[in-house]
Amino acid sequence: MQQINKNFFQLFGIAEIFEVDQESLAEKYRGLQVEVHPDQFANAPESEKLRAVQLSSYLNEAYGTLKAPLKRAAYLLSLHDLNVEQVDQAELGMELLVEQIQLREFLEELPEDESALAELESLKSEVFRKLEQRQQSFSSNLEISDLIAAKKNFNEMQFLSKLLKEIESGEEKRMGY
Amino acid sequence: MALLKISEPGGRPAAPAHSLAVGIDLGTTNSLVACSCGGSVQILPDHAKHELLPSVVHYREGQAPLVGEQAKAAALVDPGNTIASVKRLLGMSAAEISSMDRVGRYRLDATRDAGAPAILTAAGPKDPVQVSADILGVLVERAEGCLRGKLEGAVVTVPAYFNDAQRQQTRDAARLAGLNVLRLLNEPTAAAVAYGLDSQDQGNVVVFDLGGGTFDVSLLSMQKGVFEVLATGGDTALGGDDFDHVLADWIASRAELDKPLDALSHGALMHYANEVKHSLSSDETVALSYADWSAQLDRQQFADLCKDLITRTLNTCRRVLRDAALTLDAIDNIVLVGGVTRMPIIREAVADFFGKPPLTNIDPDKVVAIGAGIQADVLIGNKSADNFLLLDVNPLSLGIETMGELTEKIIPRNTTVPVTRAQEFTTFKDSQTAMTLHVVQGERELVSDCRSLARFELRGIPPMVAGAAKVRVTFQVDADGLLSVMAEELSTSKTAQIQVKPSYGLNAGSIEQMLKASHEHAESDMELRTLKEAQLEAAQLIDAITTASEVDGKLLEEHDSQRIAAGIARLEEAVAEENSVRIHELTEQLNRISSDFAARRMDLHIGKALRGESIDDAEHPAESSESP
């Protein structure tokens, strides 16, 4: 399989920074997909269809990565040769761990019925606000190439995103679906 | 195989004057076929002007099966030899069919593998693929009669929520009916296409598709002719039939009918319940009378009886909205699909939930076939595909079994297809030389709660300490939503590859055999048709390669071009000898020989965009942001 030697940012012709204009990204994605999607080769020889699947897959992967803030952040770090899978306990810092434990305890202690919905909603906006702050810091860290701080902010973003998901599934359980 | 040649990659194929391609909605209750003629898409009727073909097949000894209205009538007198709602049986094991068949109507063939069940009928054992193919065969005949020509391709729709096994079997049924499947298209996407091209809508659309036996919700974003599915969800075991069952159970308990009912009385009761359901769509109140029992039922009572079913549909809507990260106010339109959505109790529930009335100007029974007809017309090359594209998602997560019988997801649900994703695994014992890969589909953590798609083995891993070997497993889902899996040991490049076939279903060999058998028995000129197709396919390939070499010969090394020339010569010989099997083999071979050349050409032409050359380089100071 022949590789495509453009990274995800280069593919869309955009700067390798955290801030990405989603609307223009989506438009470029659709334009490129119109050119390479296998449906455009429905009657072409097998080999061309196969290549279209490869190109279209790569494009989907790129778009899926740049669209989602957390995936985009991880990808940016990987472009700087940082391994995002590896997390050092010391890297996280006590402060974050304590904060996380507290938030989680609070979540677990909420009553298991609809009476907890208001609390969940306010917790959700609090976590969301924190997440946005971390994203902004991450973006500025990268701008000045402070990769250590960027990685730390990334770890925090990961924690907060996971927590958001748990809050949402807690909401759903209490609403009965 | 359709007869188009690529004159220039990336450009549109140079199509012959007009190729016959149809869209087929293979439904649980009814099936339809649609074709684009003269700018608009028509549902093709039978001789009696009926557009809907009931998806019911009645088997008789020594005679061709009855399909449609006649079979439906036969269901009342001979239920055991009449198969209805076969779509619900696709991809199922013997045990699953037995548990669904509540009244023991079907006898299963005991000699068959439990994974590939068949129902015993007067015409012999029939599996769901064969039954579906019999329905498709009638639609093909109808279309070829209406259009006065051979079909060159078809788009067949499937519920978005169909798993890999169900998709494979649908495609197998279409092949068995002699169809060239251009694409399996998700039903909700087809419905959105039908509406989208009428009104040139932009925005977010929810497709609420409640069919006879399946329920799907899809959320699509429509922008300038590109239909992007953002999320999809559904329930393969919820449909209009369930409303009939609720009503039938209620009548049975009120009328104090003997339990359990035999197949004949059950059939009669279901028929009656279905009639009552339809009456409630036009009348507020219906007078019931069954055997010596009578009563009144109004719409509100009916809605109360069906409350759980309706709640299930709305909860699916909620999940889909959440998966797409959209709120209710971001939804611009709601499209209703499936005859069941004519029920006022459904329309009201949907309007209440979304806070706006759903679109209903296209007949909900026909909207899917119409969309499929449009897509077929585009794929066969009759209609320009510029700025018309469907971007679909895989509806269920695909993963692999890991230690502790847990599922490791490799492609999560709602990922846009096509998609290729790889993950690395390692050995857990010292000197382990083989690894079994178990491919599963579903959302649950435990392997036993997911559907098993395939098992295969990678052998010949060099003995190493536990954890040292690196096995890369690659999943690829194509635009039809079908999966192939490849495993590779990275230090030795040992590979194992599999096109996932359903565990519950037919293998490629038995499909070939069935195809052969059907060819032998068919009165039609299948063999000749196969030869003609093979010859035309070969001619098309030779033509494409010759043209390509003229344009891009510089991409070829001397020995490559010699190999290709030799491949063409061999194929031309086989074409002259009129041996379809040989032609087919050599076409495949030539395809393989020229695949590198094709890839290089694709990269040169369309790939330009992917290499960034079509985008103004001055626009992005990409390199400057790299770390110093």
Side-chain angles (χ1 to χ4, degrees), chain B residues 29 53-60 64-85 105 131 134-135 138 271:
Chain B
T29 319
L53 176 74
S55 304
V56 184
V57 186
H58 177 61
Y59 288 100
R60 302 173 297 175
L66 293 174
V67 180
E69 288 298 342
Q70 285 171 296
K72 210 173 161 184
L76 291 173
V77 290
D78 187 10
N81 286 312
T82 312
I83 301 172
S85 302
R105 176 165 144 186
V131 180
D134 283 331
I135 298 169
V138 171
H271 191 79

PDB file of all heavy atoms in Angstrom, chain B residues 29 53-60 64-85 105 131 134-135 138 271:
ATOM      1  N   THR B  29     -41.834  -5.790   4.963  1.00  0.00           N
ATOM      2  CA  THR B  29     -43.225  -6.020   4.600  1.00  0.00           C
ATOM      3  C   THR B  29     -43.432  -5.951   3.093  1.00  0.00           C
ATOM      4  O   THR B  29     -44.071  -6.816   2.503  1.00  0.00           O
ATOM      5  CB  THR B  29     -44.131  -4.974   5.281  1.00  0.00           C
ATOM      6  OG1 THR B  29     -43.659  -4.791   6.610  1.00  0.00           O
ATOM      7  CG2 THR B  29     -45.564  -5.432   5.309  1.00  0.00           C
ATOM      8  N   LEU B  53     -44.576  -4.619  -3.726  1.00  0.00           N
ATOM      9  CA  LEU B  53     -44.592  -6.075  -3.806  1.00  0.00           C
ATOM     10  C   LEU B  53     -44.483  -6.606  -2.378  1.00  0.00           C
ATOM     11  O   LEU B  53     -43.456  -6.423  -1.733  1.00  0.00           O
ATOM     12  CB  LEU B  53     -43.397  -6.572  -4.629  1.00  0.00           C
ATOM     13  CG  LEU B  53     -43.231  -8.092  -4.720  1.00  0.00           C
ATOM     14  CD1 LEU B  53     -44.274  -8.694  -5.653  1.00  0.00           C
ATOM     15  CD2 LEU B  53     -41.826  -8.457  -5.194  1.00  0.00           C
ATOM     16  N   PRO B  54     -45.557  -7.242  -1.862  1.00  0.00           N
ATOM     17  CA  PRO B  54     -45.445  -7.777  -0.498  1.00  0.00           C
ATOM     18  C   PRO B  54     -44.256  -8.749  -0.420  1.00  0.00           C
ATOM     19  O   PRO B  54     -44.099  -9.599  -1.283  1.00  0.00           O
ATOM     20  CB  PRO B  54     -46.775  -8.506  -0.288  1.00  0.00           C
ATOM     21  CG  PRO B  54     -47.727  -7.809  -1.207  1.00  0.00           C
ATOM     22  CD  PRO B  54     -46.909  -7.438  -2.415  1.00  0.00           C
ATOM     23  N   SER B  55     -43.418  -8.578   0.613  1.00  0.00           N
ATOM     24  CA  SER B  55     -42.226  -9.432   0.730  1.00  0.00           C
ATOM     25  C   SER B  55     -42.607 -10.778   1.336  1.00  0.00           C
ATOM     26  O   SER B  55     -42.196 -11.131   2.432  1.00  0.00           O
ATOM     27  CB  SER B  55     -41.174  -8.753   1.609  1.00  0.00           C
ATOM     28  OG  SER B  55     -40.864  -7.486   1.102  1.00  0.00           O
ATOM     29  N   VAL B  56     -43.442 -11.495   0.620  1.00  0.00           N
ATOM     30  CA  VAL B  56     -43.922 -12.796   1.081  1.00  0.00           C
ATOM     31  C   VAL B  56     -43.693 -13.799  -0.045  1.00  0.00           C
ATOM     32  O   VAL B  56     -43.947 -13.488  -1.210  1.00  0.00           O
ATOM     33  CB  VAL B  56     -45.436 -12.735   1.410  1.00  0.00           C
ATOM     34  CG1 VAL B  56     -45.906 -14.065   1.990  1.00  0.00           C
ATOM     35  CG2 VAL B  56     -45.748 -11.596   2.370  1.00  0.00           C
ATOM     36  N   VAL B  57     -43.164 -14.971   0.321  1.00  0.00           N
ATOM     37  CA  VAL B  57     -42.911 -16.001  -0.687  1.00  0.00           C
ATOM     38  C   VAL B  57     -43.614 -17.284  -0.274  1.00  0.00           C
ATOM     39  O   VAL B  57     -43.497 -17.727   0.874  1.00  0.00           O
ATOM     40  CB  VAL B  57     -41.397 -16.270  -0.851  1.00  0.00           C
ATOM     41  CG1 VAL B  57     -41.150 -17.236  -2.006  1.00  0.00           C
ATOM     42  CG2 VAL B  57     -40.636 -14.972  -1.084  1.00  0.00           C
ATOM     43  N   HIS B  58     -44.370 -17.860  -1.206  1.00  0.00           N
ATOM     44  CA  HIS B  58     -45.066 -19.120  -0.944  1.00  0.00           C
ATOM     45  C   HIS B  58     -44.438 -20.202  -1.817  1.00  0.00           C
ATOM     46  O   HIS B  58     -44.368 -20.073  -3.031  1.00  0.00           O
ATOM     47  CB  HIS B  58     -46.558 -18.970  -1.276  1.00  0.00           C
ATOM     48  CG  HIS B  58     -47.319 -20.251  -1.106  1.00  0.00           C
ATOM     49  ND1 HIS B  58     -47.405 -20.899   0.102  1.00  0.00           N
ATOM     50  CD2 HIS B  58     -48.021 -20.996  -1.991  1.00  0.00           C
ATOM     51  CE1 HIS B  58     -48.128 -22.004  -0.052  1.00  0.00           C
ATOM     52  NE2 HIS B  58     -48.516 -22.089  -1.309  1.00  0.00           N
ATOM     53  N   TYR B  59     -43.953 -21.280  -1.127  1.00  0.00           N
ATOM     54  CA  TYR B  59     -43.277 -22.350  -1.863  1.00  0.00           C
ATOM     55  C   TYR B  59     -44.214 -23.507  -2.134  1.00  0.00           C
ATOM     56  O   TYR B  59     -44.984 -23.911  -1.261  1.00  0.00           O
ATOM     57  CB  TYR B  59     -42.039 -22.814  -1.091  1.00  0.00           C
ATOM     58  CG  TYR B  59     -40.944 -21.789  -1.132  1.00  0.00           C
ATOM     59  CD1 TYR B  59     -40.721 -20.924  -0.064  1.00  0.00           C
ATOM     60  CD2 TYR B  59     -40.157 -21.638  -2.274  1.00  0.00           C
ATOM     61  CE1 TYR B  59     -39.726 -19.952  -0.128  1.00  0.00           C
ATOM     62  CE2 TYR B  59     -39.168 -20.673  -2.353  1.00  0.00           C
ATOM     63  CZ  TYR B  59     -38.957 -19.836  -1.271  1.00  0.00           C
ATOM     64  OH  TYR B  59     -37.982 -18.877  -1.352  1.00  0.00           O
ATOM     65  N   ARG B  60     -44.143 -24.046  -3.350  1.00  0.00           N
ATOM     66  CA  ARG B  60     -44.989 -25.161  -3.765  1.00  0.00           C
ATOM     67  C   ARG B  60     -44.108 -26.259  -4.346  1.00  0.00           C
ATOM     68  O   ARG B  60     -43.064 -25.961  -4.932  1.00  0.00           O
ATOM     69  CB  ARG B  60     -45.984 -24.683  -4.831  1.00  0.00           C
ATOM     70  CG  ARG B  60     -46.849 -23.538  -4.354  1.00  0.00           C
ATOM     71  CD  ARG B  60     -47.680 -22.983  -5.483  1.00  0.00           C
ATOM     72  NE  ARG B  60     -46.864 -22.417  -6.559  1.00  0.00           N
ATOM     73  CZ  ARG B  60     -47.368 -21.951  -7.694  1.00  0.00           C
ATOM     74  NH1 ARG B  60     -48.674 -21.992  -7.911  1.00  0.00           N
ATOM     75  NH2 ARG B  60     -46.590 -21.441  -8.621  1.00  0.00           N
ATOM     76  N   ALA B  64     -42.738 -23.103  -9.508  1.00  0.00           N
ATOM     77  CA  ALA B  64     -42.031 -21.884  -9.124  1.00  0.00           C
ATOM     78  C   ALA B  64     -42.737 -21.260  -7.921  1.00  0.00           C
ATOM     79  O   ALA B  64     -43.948 -21.390  -7.774  1.00  0.00           O
ATOM     80  CB  ALA B  64     -42.026 -20.901 -10.294  1.00  0.00           C
ATOM     81  N   PRO B  65     -41.994 -20.610  -7.023  1.00  0.00           N
ATOM     82  CA  PRO B  65     -42.638 -20.001  -5.855  1.00  0.00           C
ATOM     83  C   PRO B  65     -43.550 -18.839  -6.257  1.00  0.00           C
ATOM     84  O   PRO B  65     -43.336 -18.196  -7.280  1.00  0.00           O
ATOM     85  CB  PRO B  65     -41.459 -19.494  -5.025  1.00  0.00           C
ATOM     86  CG  PRO B  65     -40.323 -19.371  -5.984  1.00  0.00           C
ATOM     87  CD  PRO B  65     -40.543 -20.409  -7.037  1.00  0.00           C
ATOM     88  N   LEU B  66     -44.565 -18.597  -5.446  1.00  0.00           N
ATOM     89  CA  LEU B  66     -45.394 -17.413  -5.625  1.00  0.00           C
ATOM     90  C   LEU B  66     -44.801 -16.315  -4.757  1.00  0.00           C
ATOM     91  O   LEU B  66     -44.425 -16.556  -3.613  1.00  0.00           O
ATOM     92  CB  LEU B  66     -46.829 -17.687  -5.163  1.00  0.00           C
ATOM     93  CG  LEU B  66     -47.655 -18.689  -5.974  1.00  0.00           C
ATOM     94  CD1 LEU B  66     -48.984 -18.935  -5.264  1.00  0.00           C
ATOM     95  CD2 LEU B  66     -47.878 -18.153  -7.383  1.00  0.00           C
ATOM     96  N   VAL B  67     -44.732 -15.104  -5.311  1.00  0.00           N
ATOM     97  CA  VAL B  67     -44.182 -13.990  -4.549  1.00  0.00           C
ATOM     98  C   VAL B  67     -45.179 -12.845  -4.585  1.00  0.00           C
ATOM     99  O   VAL B  67     -45.769 -12.577  -5.623  1.00  0.00           O
ATOM    100  CB  VAL B  67     -42.827 -13.515  -5.144  1.00  0.00           C
ATOM    101  CG1 VAL B  67     -42.261 -12.345  -4.352  1.00  0.00           C
ATOM    102  CG2 VAL B  67     -41.825 -14.658  -5.188  1.00  0.00           C
ATOM    103  N   GLY B  68     -45.386 -12.186  -3.447  1.00  0.00           N
ATOM    104  CA  GLY B  68     -46.227 -10.998  -3.436  1.00  0.00           C
ATOM    105  C   GLY B  68     -47.639 -11.269  -2.954  1.00  0.00           C
ATOM    106  O   GLY B  68     -47.853 -12.062  -2.047  1.00  0.00           O
ATOM    107  N   GLU B  69     -48.609 -10.587  -3.603  1.00  0.00           N
ATOM    108  CA  GLU B  69     -50.007 -10.662  -3.172  1.00  0.00           C
ATOM    109  C   GLU B  69     -50.527 -12.101  -3.090  1.00  0.00           C
ATOM    110  O   GLU B  69     -51.188 -12.487  -2.131  1.00  0.00           O
ATOM    111  CB  GLU B  69     -50.907  -9.867  -4.119  1.00  0.00           C
ATOM    112  CG  GLU B  69     -50.774  -8.353  -4.021  1.00  0.00           C
ATOM    113  CD  GLU B  69     -51.161  -7.795  -2.648  1.00  0.00           C
ATOM    114  OE1 GLU B  69     -51.849  -8.489  -1.868  1.00  0.00           O
ATOM    115  OE2 GLU B  69     -50.755  -6.649  -2.358  1.00  0.00           O
ATOM    116  N   GLN B  70     -50.187 -12.900  -4.121  1.00  0.00           N
ATOM    117  CA  GLN B  70     -50.670 -14.287  -4.147  1.00  0.00           C
ATOM    118  C   GLN B  70     -50.102 -15.074  -2.969  1.00  0.00           C
ATOM    119  O   GLN B  70     -50.801 -15.878  -2.350  1.00  0.00           O
ATOM    120  CB  GLN B  70     -50.247 -14.968  -5.447  1.00  0.00           C
ATOM    121  CG  GLN B  70     -51.055 -14.542  -6.643  1.00  0.00           C
ATOM    122  CD  GLN B  70     -50.433 -15.091  -7.908  1.00  0.00           C
ATOM    123  OE1 GLN B  70     -49.312 -14.730  -8.243  1.00  0.00           O
ATOM    124  NE2 GLN B  70     -51.139 -15.968  -8.593  1.00  0.00           N
ATOM    125  N   ALA B  71     -48.830 -14.804  -2.664  1.00  0.00           N
ATOM    126  CA  ALA B  71     -48.196 -15.501  -1.545  1.00  0.00           C
ATOM    127  C   ALA B  71     -48.839 -15.057  -0.239  1.00  0.00           C
ATOM    128  O   ALA B  71     -49.033 -15.848   0.688  1.00  0.00           O
ATOM    129  CB  ALA B  71     -46.699 -15.203  -1.532  1.00  0.00           C
ATOM    130  N   LYS B  72     -49.205 -13.791  -0.174  1.00  0.00           N
ATOM    131  CA  LYS B  72     -49.818 -13.247   1.029  1.00  0.00           C
ATOM    132  C   LYS B  72     -51.153 -13.946   1.280  1.00  0.00           C
ATOM    133  O   LYS B  72     -51.486 -14.284   2.421  1.00  0.00           O
ATOM    134  CB  LYS B  72     -50.037 -11.741   0.837  1.00  0.00           C
ATOM    135  CG  LYS B  72     -49.978 -10.940   2.115  1.00  0.00           C
ATOM    136  CD  LYS B  72     -50.026  -9.455   1.768  1.00  0.00           C
ATOM    137  CE  LYS B  72     -50.418  -8.625   2.959  1.00  0.00           C
ATOM    138  NZ  LYS B  72     -50.547  -7.209   2.596  1.00  0.00           N
ATOM    139  N   ALA B  73     -51.879 -14.157   0.187  1.00  0.00           N
ATOM    140  CA  ALA B  73     -53.157 -14.857   0.317  1.00  0.00           C
ATOM    141  C   ALA B  73     -52.922 -16.296   0.765  1.00  0.00           C
ATOM    142  O   ALA B  73     -53.654 -16.837   1.606  1.00  0.00           O
ATOM    143  CB  ALA B  73     -53.895 -14.826  -1.021  1.00  0.00           C
ATOM    144  N   ALA B  74     -51.868 -16.911   0.231  1.00  0.00           N
ATOM    145  CA  ALA B  74     -51.562 -18.299   0.572  1.00  0.00           C
ATOM    146  C   ALA B  74     -51.174 -18.445   2.044  1.00  0.00           C
ATOM    147  O   ALA B  74     -51.336 -19.516   2.643  1.00  0.00           O
ATOM    148  CB  ALA B  74     -50.444 -18.823  -0.324  1.00  0.00           C
ATOM    149  N   ALA B  75     -50.662 -17.357   2.637  1.00  0.00           N
ATOM    150  CA  ALA B  75     -50.231 -17.407   4.036  1.00  0.00           C
ATOM    151  C   ALA B  75     -51.381 -17.802   4.949  1.00  0.00           C
ATOM    152  O   ALA B  75     -51.179 -18.438   5.987  1.00  0.00           O
ATOM    153  CB  ALA B  75     -49.663 -16.052   4.460  1.00  0.00           C
ATOM    154  N   LEU B  76     -52.607 -17.443   4.567  1.00  0.00           N
ATOM    155  CA  LEU B  76     -53.764 -17.733   5.412  1.00  0.00           C
ATOM    156  C   LEU B  76     -54.109 -19.214   5.397  1.00  0.00           C
ATOM    157  O   LEU B  76     -54.536 -19.764   6.404  1.00  0.00           O
ATOM    158  CB  LEU B  76     -54.974 -16.903   4.956  1.00  0.00           C
ATOM    159  CG  LEU B  76     -54.850 -15.399   5.211  1.00  0.00           C
ATOM    160  CD1 LEU B  76     -56.003 -14.649   4.579  1.00  0.00           C
ATOM    161  CD2 LEU B  76     -54.774 -15.106   6.715  1.00  0.00           C
ATOM    162  N   VAL B  77     -53.916 -19.862   4.245  1.00  0.00           N
ATOM    163  CA  VAL B  77     -54.296 -21.271   4.152  1.00  0.00           C
ATOM    164  C   VAL B  77     -53.122 -22.225   4.346  1.00  0.00           C
ATOM    165  O   VAL B  77     -53.303 -23.359   4.778  1.00  0.00           O
ATOM    166  CB  VAL B  77     -54.995 -21.571   2.804  1.00  0.00           C
ATOM    167  CG1 VAL B  77     -56.360 -20.929   2.787  1.00  0.00           C
ATOM    168  CG2 VAL B  77     -54.155 -21.098   1.629  1.00  0.00           C
ATOM    169  N   ASP B  78     -51.920 -21.775   4.031  1.00  0.00           N
ATOM    170  CA  ASP B  78     -50.769 -22.671   4.109  1.00  0.00           C
ATOM    171  C   ASP B  78     -49.572 -21.937   4.731  1.00  0.00           C
ATOM    172  O   ASP B  78     -48.560 -21.702   4.074  1.00  0.00           O
ATOM    173  CB  ASP B  78     -50.435 -23.168   2.685  1.00  0.00           C
ATOM    174  CG  ASP B  78     -49.354 -24.235   2.688  1.00  0.00           C
ATOM    175  OD1 ASP B  78     -49.006 -24.729   3.797  1.00  0.00           O
ATOM    176  OD2 ASP B  78     -48.841 -24.556   1.607  1.00  0.00           O
ATOM    177  N   PRO B  79     -49.721 -21.555   6.027  1.00  0.00           N
ATOM    178  CA  PRO B  79     -48.684 -20.718   6.635  1.00  0.00           C
ATOM    179  C   PRO B  79     -47.307 -21.384   6.678  1.00  0.00           C
ATOM    180  O   PRO B  79     -46.290 -20.717   6.554  1.00  0.00           O
ATOM    181  CB  PRO B  79     -49.207 -20.435   8.047  1.00  0.00           C
ATOM    182  CG  PRO B  79     -50.254 -21.478   8.304  1.00  0.00           C
ATOM    183  CD  PRO B  79     -50.814 -21.856   6.968  1.00  0.00           C
ATOM    184  N   GLY B  80     -47.268 -22.709   6.820  1.00  0.00           N
ATOM    185  CA  GLY B  80     -45.990 -23.403   6.959  1.00  0.00           C
ATOM    186  C   GLY B  80     -45.092 -23.293   5.738  1.00  0.00           C
ATOM    187  O   GLY B  80     -43.872 -23.336   5.846  1.00  0.00           O
ATOM    188  N   ASN B  81     -45.698 -23.141   4.555  1.00  0.00           N
ATOM    189  CA  ASN B  81     -44.910 -23.046   3.331  1.00  0.00           C
ATOM    190  C   ASN B  81     -44.792 -21.610   2.828  1.00  0.00           C
ATOM    191  O   ASN B  81     -44.388 -21.373   1.698  1.00  0.00           O
ATOM    192  CB  ASN B  81     -45.535 -23.916   2.230  1.00  0.00           C
ATOM    193  CG  ASN B  81     -45.281 -25.380   2.483  1.00  0.00           C
ATOM    194  OD1 ASN B  81     -44.144 -25.767   2.767  1.00  0.00           O
ATOM    195  ND2 ASN B  81     -46.323 -26.182   2.434  1.00  0.00           N
ATOM    196  N   THR B  82     -45.206 -20.669   3.677  1.00  0.00           N
ATOM    197  CA  THR B  82     -45.200 -19.278   3.262  1.00  0.00           C
ATOM    198  C   THR B  82     -44.276 -18.492   4.189  1.00  0.00           C
ATOM    199  O   THR B  82     -44.451 -18.525   5.398  1.00  0.00           O
ATOM    200  CB  THR B  82     -46.614 -18.687   3.318  1.00  0.00           C
ATOM    201  OG1 THR B  82     -47.489 -19.601   2.667  1.00  0.00           O
ATOM    202  CG2 THR B  82     -46.678 -17.339   2.657  1.00  0.00           C
ATOM    203  N   ILE B  83     -43.315 -17.828   3.615  1.00  0.00           N
ATOM    204  CA  ILE B  83     -42.348 -17.106   4.440  1.00  0.00           C
ATOM    205  C   ILE B  83     -42.563 -15.602   4.264  1.00  0.00           C
ATOM    206  O   ILE B  83     -42.470 -15.066   3.166  1.00  0.00           O
ATOM    207  CB  ILE B  83     -40.908 -17.507   4.088  1.00  0.00           C
ATOM    208  CG1 ILE B  83     -40.771 -19.027   4.312  1.00  0.00           C
ATOM    209  CG2 ILE B  83     -39.903 -16.753   4.946  1.00  0.00           C
ATOM    210  CD1 ILE B  83     -39.477 -19.615   3.843  1.00  0.00           C
ATOM    211  N   ALA B  84     -42.898 -14.945   5.376  1.00  0.00           N
ATOM    212  CA  ALA B  84     -43.104 -13.497   5.374  1.00  0.00           C
ATOM    213  C   ALA B  84     -42.021 -12.865   6.250  1.00  0.00           C
ATOM    214  O   ALA B  84     -41.412 -13.549   7.071  1.00  0.00           O
ATOM    215  CB  ALA B  84     -44.489 -13.166   5.918  1.00  0.00           C
ATOM    216  N   SER B  85     -41.809 -11.566   6.080  1.00  0.00           N
ATOM    217  CA  SER B  85     -40.822 -10.826   6.881  1.00  0.00           C
ATOM    218  C   SER B  85     -39.468 -11.529   6.930  1.00  0.00           C
ATOM    219  O   SER B  85     -38.824 -11.580   7.973  1.00  0.00           O
ATOM    220  CB  SER B  85     -41.330 -10.623   8.314  1.00  0.00           C
ATOM    221  OG  SER B  85     -42.550  -9.945   8.313  1.00  0.00           O
ATOM    222  N   ARG B 105     -44.206 -21.813  13.558  1.00  0.00           N
ATOM    223  CA  ARG B 105     -44.736 -21.895  12.216  1.00  0.00           C
ATOM    224  C   ARG B 105     -43.769 -22.562  11.253  1.00  0.00           C
ATOM    225  O   ARG B 105     -44.163 -23.294  10.366  1.00  0.00           O
ATOM    226  CB  ARG B 105     -45.008 -20.462  11.774  1.00  0.00           C
ATOM    227  CG  ARG B 105     -45.471 -20.315  10.387  1.00  0.00           C
ATOM    228  CD  ARG B 105     -46.028 -18.920  10.253  1.00  0.00           C
ATOM    229  NE  ARG B 105     -45.727 -18.395   8.945  1.00  0.00           N
ATOM    230  CZ  ARG B 105     -45.990 -17.144   8.601  1.00  0.00           C
ATOM    231  NH1 ARG B 105     -46.484 -16.313   9.486  1.00  0.00           N
ATOM    232  NH2 ARG B 105     -45.731 -16.734   7.394  1.00  0.00           N
ATOM    233  N   VAL B 131     -34.712 -17.015  -0.039  1.00  0.00           N
ATOM    234  CA  VAL B 131     -36.048 -16.405  -0.013  1.00  0.00           C
ATOM    235  C   VAL B 131     -35.953 -14.949  -0.478  1.00  0.00           C
ATOM    236  O   VAL B 131     -36.746 -14.484  -1.302  1.00  0.00           O
ATOM    237  CB  VAL B 131     -36.663 -16.487   1.408  1.00  0.00           C
ATOM    238  CG1 VAL B 131     -38.053 -15.859   1.419  1.00  0.00           C
ATOM    239  CG2 VAL B 131     -36.728 -17.936   1.889  1.00  0.00           C
ATOM    240  N   ASP B 134     -35.524 -14.749  -4.136  1.00  0.00           N
ATOM    241  CA  ASP B 134     -36.767 -14.976  -4.887  1.00  0.00           C
ATOM    242  C   ASP B 134     -37.587 -13.686  -4.993  1.00  0.00           C
ATOM    243  O   ASP B 134     -38.216 -13.423  -6.014  1.00  0.00           O
ATOM    244  CB  ASP B 134     -37.592 -16.089  -4.225  1.00  0.00           C
ATOM    245  CG  ASP B 134     -37.018 -17.479  -4.532  1.00  0.00           C
ATOM    246  OD1 ASP B 134     -36.407 -17.628  -5.608  1.00  0.00           O
ATOM    247  OD2 ASP B 134     -37.170 -18.388  -3.702  1.00  0.00           O
ATOM    248  N   ILE B 135     -37.574 -12.891  -3.925  1.00  0.00           N
ATOM    249  CA  ILE B 135     -38.286 -11.604  -3.972  1.00  0.00           C
ATOM    250  C   ILE B 135     -37.593 -10.674  -4.966  1.00  0.00           C
ATOM    251  O   ILE B 135     -38.219 -10.065  -5.829  1.00  0.00           O
ATOM    252  CB  ILE B 135     -38.335 -10.957  -2.575  1.00  0.00           C
ATOM    253  CG1 ILE B 135     -39.097 -11.865  -1.602  1.00  0.00           C
ATOM    254  CG2 ILE B 135     -38.965  -9.565  -2.638  1.00  0.00           C
ATOM    255  CD1 ILE B 135     -38.968 -11.451  -0.142  1.00  0.00           C
ATOM    256  N   VAL B 138     -38.263 -11.339  -8.687  1.00  0.00           N
ATOM    257  CA  VAL B 138     -39.518 -10.807  -9.228  1.00  0.00           C
ATOM    258  C   VAL B 138     -39.366  -9.318  -9.555  1.00  0.00           C
ATOM    259  O   VAL B 138     -39.862  -8.836 -10.580  1.00  0.00           O
ATOM    260  CB  VAL B 138     -40.668 -11.034  -8.223  1.00  0.00           C
ATOM    261  CG1 VAL B 138     -41.922 -10.303  -8.645  1.00  0.00           C
ATOM    262  CG2 VAL B 138     -40.934 -12.526  -8.074  1.00  0.00           C
ATOM    263  N   HIS B 271     -53.581 -11.054  11.187  1.00  0.00           N
ATOM    264  CA  HIS B 271     -54.190 -10.409  10.034  1.00  0.00           C
ATOM    265  C   HIS B 271     -55.255  -9.408  10.504  1.00  0.00           C
ATOM    266  O   HIS B 271     -55.314  -8.275  10.037  1.00  0.00           O
ATOM    267  CB  HIS B 271     -54.810 -11.481   9.142  1.00  0.00           C
ATOM    268  CG  HIS B 271     -55.230 -10.980   7.806  1.00  0.00           C
ATOM    269  ND1 HIS B 271     -54.343 -10.769   6.783  1.00  0.00           N
ATOM    270  CD2 HIS B 271     -56.456 -10.637   7.325  1.00  0.00           C
ATOM    271  CE1 HIS B 271     -54.987 -10.307   5.737  1.00  0.00           C
ATOM    272  NE2 HIS B 271     -56.265 -10.220   6.027  1.00  0.00           N
TER     273      HIS B 271
END
